[in-house]
Amino acid sequence: NREMSRKLLRTLQERGGLEEKELPAAFRRDCRHTEEFVRLFGRHYELYRLNLSWENRMGKARCLLRGQYAAVASCLDRLREQVQQEFREEAEVEQRIQQCLKKNGILCEWLQVRSDRSEERPGQEIRMTLAFRTEMPEARERRCRELLGECLGIPVRRLEKRRERGGNWIYGYRDGNRISADCFGLNREAAGISGDSYQIGRLDERRYLLALSDGMGTGARAGEESGRALQTLEQLLLAGAEENEALAMLHASMVLGSREENFATLDLALLDLKTARLRLIKAGGAVTYLSRKKAVTVCRARTLPVGLLEEAASPKTFTYDLQPGDRLVMISDGVLDQLEDPKQGEEWIRQYLQYTEAKTARDMAEEIRRGLQRQAGDKGVRDDQTILTAIIRTGDRSGGKIL
């Protein structure tokens, strides 16, 4: 009987079903209820298969949750280290500034350096308060500001100038940014409601985010998936998660949070306004362009969207040092798919960036849309199309809402 059961199981696994005629002749002769036996044998096998499937899925879910808990623990450890490091760095910066000012003949009564981090301004900022016995002439104050910038390695601007009652003159400063960004997003839907979503704006005073997501398919459901993915990603980044940690946690939440197939591509551009550093992270998205004068870099990655498989594929990361005048273009796949030959569209955008004289990110996005539309002809919009553009400017504090 045991050997017969093994053979019947093998038949079920190979064919997906079992018939009475496949039972051994001796068993059919001795058993009066072969039809009932076949039905119950198949039913118990199906229950076993379903239980095994759920057991495997629960095991994978536990692995995903372990990864999420590890990422959260890493965020907390990093936050603790940052707080401890800030206190050490403040004392070191104060000493360095005092020595630099004294060396240049600028003597202050006292000096205080503080790293400002709050709910309204979650990005770390450095605030400096200096006290002088007398008011500084404009040229001397400008020289003091230059020296503060040299000590920090980034631009510095004055916040306040006031006199304490019957006492010292107080000058307040804060660190500035090396660069700023003029950004614009352009969306064109194929079916009334776009399946693409994008986010543009400052995460905090230091980081600027451009993010583009394309949900599965088109229309409302795709738009909900891509929009939810960007919203979750933004919250994780604001909570202090690193980019790859945030993508891993987003992937786990999409896999665990839906019974149906649920995935979305993600293109992420994070600009550090203080260091002028750009990090591009691609998970299944279309090509991205970065240009400097006539040199154009095309960034592409053969990576899977987030949420597609239970085992997350690692996204590809590109890192660049930016300069004022650099241009960034991010697109969804529908922008190039409107052409008979998408490669032709890729080359057109590359050549456009070599010779464009567009003054604003809006103009750049509109010119790219119109140029590709002329090449595609009057074929209508077959897929959702989104274009994100950015032009890097010299550092300032203007523009860009906090997300």
Side-chain angles (χ1 to χ4, degrees), residues 48-334:
Y48 162 77
R49 191 183 64 80
L50 289 174
N51 287 336
L52 184 61
S53 173
W54 276 106
E55 186 177 337
N56 290 336
R57 187 168 183 180
M58 289 298 294
K60 291 177 179 178
R62 283 193 292 270
C63 290
L64 289 171
L65 286 173
R66 269 199 305 272
Q68 283 191 313
Y69 290 143
V72 171
S74 177
C75 289
L76 294 175
D77 285 341
R78 192 160 50 249
L79 180 60
R80 174 180 55 81
E81 292 172 1
Q82 286 175 352
V83 171
Q84 293 175 345
Q85 185 178 1
E86 283 170 15
F87 285 113
R88 293 193 299 269
E89 289 180 348
E90 286 169 3
E92 294 173 0
V93 172
E94 286 180 2
Q95 184 178 9
R96 190 161 66 246
I97 291 175
Q98 284 275 22
Q99 293 173 351
C100 181
L101 293 178
K102 185 176 180 180
K103 183 179 178 181
N104 286 270
I106 301 176
L107 302 178
C108 61
E109 292 297 300
W110 52 265
L111 163 69
Q112 185 181 63
V113 175
R114 288 290 177 267
S115 297
D116 179 34
R117 188 190 296 272
S118 62
E119 291 184 2
E120 291 77 16
R121 298 187 185 281
Q124 181 182 345
E125 296 177 318
I126 300 176
R127 291 176 177 259
M128 295 152 287
T129 306
L130 292 80
F132 297 89
R133 287 185 180 179
T134 59
E135 181 181 7
M136 285 193 293
E138 190 62 32
R140 192 174 183 83
E141 191 277 330
R142 187 166 55 250
R143 177 56 179 159
C144 178
R145 199 181 331 140
E146 291 173 356
L147 292 172
L148 292 175
E150 290 175 9
C151 290
L152 296 177
I154 51 179
V156 167
R157 71 179 187 126
R158 194 176 76 191
L159 284 177
E160 63 171 344
K161 172 187 172 183
R162 58 184 171 83
R163 187 178 186 183
E164 293 181 328
R165 185 175 297 177
N168 296 321
W169 283 86
I170 304 300
Y171 290 81
Y173 300 90
R174 72 191 288 182
D175 57 333
N177 294 327
R178 291 179 185 273
I179 60 170
S180 63
D182 168 28
C183 303
F184 185 72
L186 179 67
N187 182 268
R188 191 180 183 203
E189 66 274 2
I193 300 176
S194 176
D196 296 348
S197 296
Y198 68 88
Q199 186 69 275
I200 296 176
R202 290 193 182 194
L203 287 171
D204 48 53
E205 290 292 337
R206 177 168 190 154
R207 296 178 300 167
Y208 205 106
L209 172 70
L210 291 91
L212 171 60
S213 179
D214 184 358
M216 179 180 64
T218 59
R221 184 186 169 192
E224 289 175 5
E225 290 173 357
S226 59
R228 189 161 49 245
L230 287 187
Q231 185 179 22
T232 303
L233 182 67
E234 176 195 326
Q235 291 170 347
L236 290 168
L237 291 172
L238 287 172
E242 294 287 345
E243 297 88 358
N244 288 335
E245 291 173 346
L247 283 175
M249 288 191 278
L250 171 62
H251 173 82
S253 69
M254 292 180 70
V255 171
L256 296 174
S258 177
R259 294 184 179 182
E260 300 178 356
E261 191 177 49
N262 178 27
F263 63 87
T265 68
L266 269 177
D267 264 1
L268 191 65
L270 271 172
L271 284 70
D272 189 320
L273 303 179
K274 295 189 185 300
T275 63
R277 179 67 58 87
L278 168 68
R279 279 173 60 81
L280 282 176
I281 300 169
K282 302 184 70 65
V287 294
T288 298
Y289 301 84
L290 181 65
S291 71
R292 176 173 299 166
K293 296 181 179 178
K294 291 192 176 183
V296 180
T297 301
V298 181
C299 307
R300 66 178 81 246
R302 297 181 180 274
T303 52
L304 296 175
V306 291
L308 180 60
L309 299 176
E310 291 179 346
E311 295 80 11
S314 299
K316 190 166 184 179
T317 302
F318 304 84
T319 304
Y320 301 99
D321 291 319
L322 298 175
Q323 294 180 7
D326 290 353
R327 299 171 186 265
L328 176 69
V329 176
M330 302 166 67
I331 60 175
S332 63
D333 56 7

Side-chain angles (χ1 to χ4, degrees), residues 370-384:
R370 288 195 297 267
L372 292 176
Q373 192 173 351
R374 282 195 300 270
Q375 291 201 29
D378 188 18
K379 298 179 181 177
V381 182
R382 292 182 290 184
D383 193 7
D384 303 315

